Amino acid sequence: MTAVRVAALQMRSGQSVARNVADFEALVREAAGRGATYVQSPEMTGALMRDRAALRAVLKPEGEDPVERAAGRLAAELGIVVHVGSTAIARPDGKVANRAFLFGPDGGLLATYDKIHMFDVDLDNGESWRESATYEPGTAATVADLPFGRLGMAVCYDVRFPQLFRAQALAGAQILTAPAAFTRQTGSAHWHVLQRARAIENGAFVVSAAQGGLHEDGRETYGHSLIVDPWGRVVAEADHDEPGVVVADIDLAEVAEARGKIPNLKNARDFAVAHAGAAMAAGG
């Protein structure tokens, strides 16, 4: 089987975990009702809140998190793959993980992934973020075998680090993912081009569910959940920041076709970086 119907859920997660879980469940059911057998939610499905103390007060460890439990239950009930883009998880060492979960059609946990790259930035108009002050970065890339193909897992800011996606593609990933809570400021500038670039560079589909709109904690996220094909074409998009479901039929045979036309994964060569200025100065 090379064809599959995939869905990206666009959410506007707030500070109530219970309400977010209810919204997540409703959107998963809508996606499954539209025939999707792979459903992905955005980064921080469970809660979006700036207040670190408030966030820590609602954290649960893996196995007890309500989003994680709902995802496994829905996957088994609906017979689909459910990919929680990420949610905040209490680690045993007292730190916090920005963790993605992937459940198979039997409800079993197939894989997890902890976001590697922390969004520590100072943007225009005083907007500043320090994810490393709250979250412990992951240290390993993750690829997972699904009934229809191999999938690479990433989260949000990871999309700016092409080496992560290249490593997954070289490990056989045909579908790459970057579920996100992109800020409106960075999203309007870079969201589309980054998603399309990762698809083109790796000859892979990219599926990225997004948070969108004005959230309870005051942040604004860009929305525009996307599904991109291996040639870099947007095949489905939520052209707005409202909650909803984006669905597309994709054929993984297009991955081999794209990689056959432009075999850059095979043609890549190791190289050194020569510092010509230093050499010229030394010789002068």
Side-chain angles (χ1 to χ4, degrees), residues 17-261:
V17 175
R19 186 169 65 247
N20 297 332
V21 171
D23 291 345
F24 165 69
E25 179 164 348
L27 290 171
V28 170
R29 291 188 182 280
E30 178 182 342
R34 293 170 61 181
T37 54
Y38 165 86
V39 179
Q40 179 195 120
S41 70
E43 180 183 29
M44 287 294 131
T45 295
L48 270 177
M49 54 180 72
R50 291 174 183 258
D51 189 316
R52 294 173 192 162
L55 177 64
R56 287 183 176 276
V58 301
L59 287 181
K60 299 292 183 182
E62 183 172 330
E64 299 178 21
D65 178 77
V67 176
E68 175 194 354
R69 286 183 167 182
R73 172 175 51 81
L74 288 165
E77 177 189 337
L78 301 170
I80 62 174
V81 174
V82 177
H83 178 178
V84 177
S86 85
T87 198
I89 295 292
R91 291 170 32 127
D93 60 6
K95 298 178 181 179
V96 183
N98 186 343
R99 182 166 296 166
F101 292 90
L102 188 66
F103 292 91
D106 63 354
L109 181 62
L110 297 176
T112 64
Y113 166 75
D114 287 0
K115 183 177 181 180
I116 292 174
H117 300 99
M118 299 289 98
F119 191 53
D120 291 356
V121 302
D122 296 303
L123 302 173
D124 293 339
N125 305 316
E127 185 176 359
S128 182
W129 299 94
R130 290 292 180 274
E131 284 189 341
S132 62
T134 302
Y135 300 99
E136 182 71 10
T139 58
T142 298
V143 296
D145 289 324
L146 303 179
F148 47 82
R150 185 166 291 176
L151 178 137
M153 301 174 73
V155 177
C156 199
Y157 190 48
D158 283 333
V159 79
R160 294 185 183 272
F161 299 86
Q163 65 271 26
L164 172 60
F165 296 82
R166 175 54 54 87
Q168 293 175 344
L170 290 172
Q174 300 150 295
I175 302 173
L176 304 174
T177 64
F182 248 63
T183 68
R184 185 174 301 280
Q185 185 174 170
T186 57
S188 61
H190 300 147
W191 173 253
H192 290 82
V193 70
L194 287 168
Q195 303 291 329
R196 296 181 66 201
R198 298 298 84 86
I200 293 166
E201 292 164 349
N202 297 293
F205 284 95
V206 174
V207 181
S208 296
Q211 297 280 355
L214 178 61
H215 299 262
E216 288 177 333
D217 69 352
R219 83 181 71 201
E220 288 189 76
T221 53
Y222 184 61
H224 292 263
S225 298
L226 289 177
I227 300 171
V228 184
D229 77 7
W231 207 246
R233 295 170 293 209
V234 175
V235 296
E237 176 180 1
D239 191 19
H240 51 72
D241 63 8
E242 295 296 320
V245 177
V246 175
V247 174
D249 292 315
I250 66 173
D251 189 343
L252 298 187
E254 293 180 32
V255 174
E257 181 182 352
R259 291 174 178 176
K261 290 177 180 176

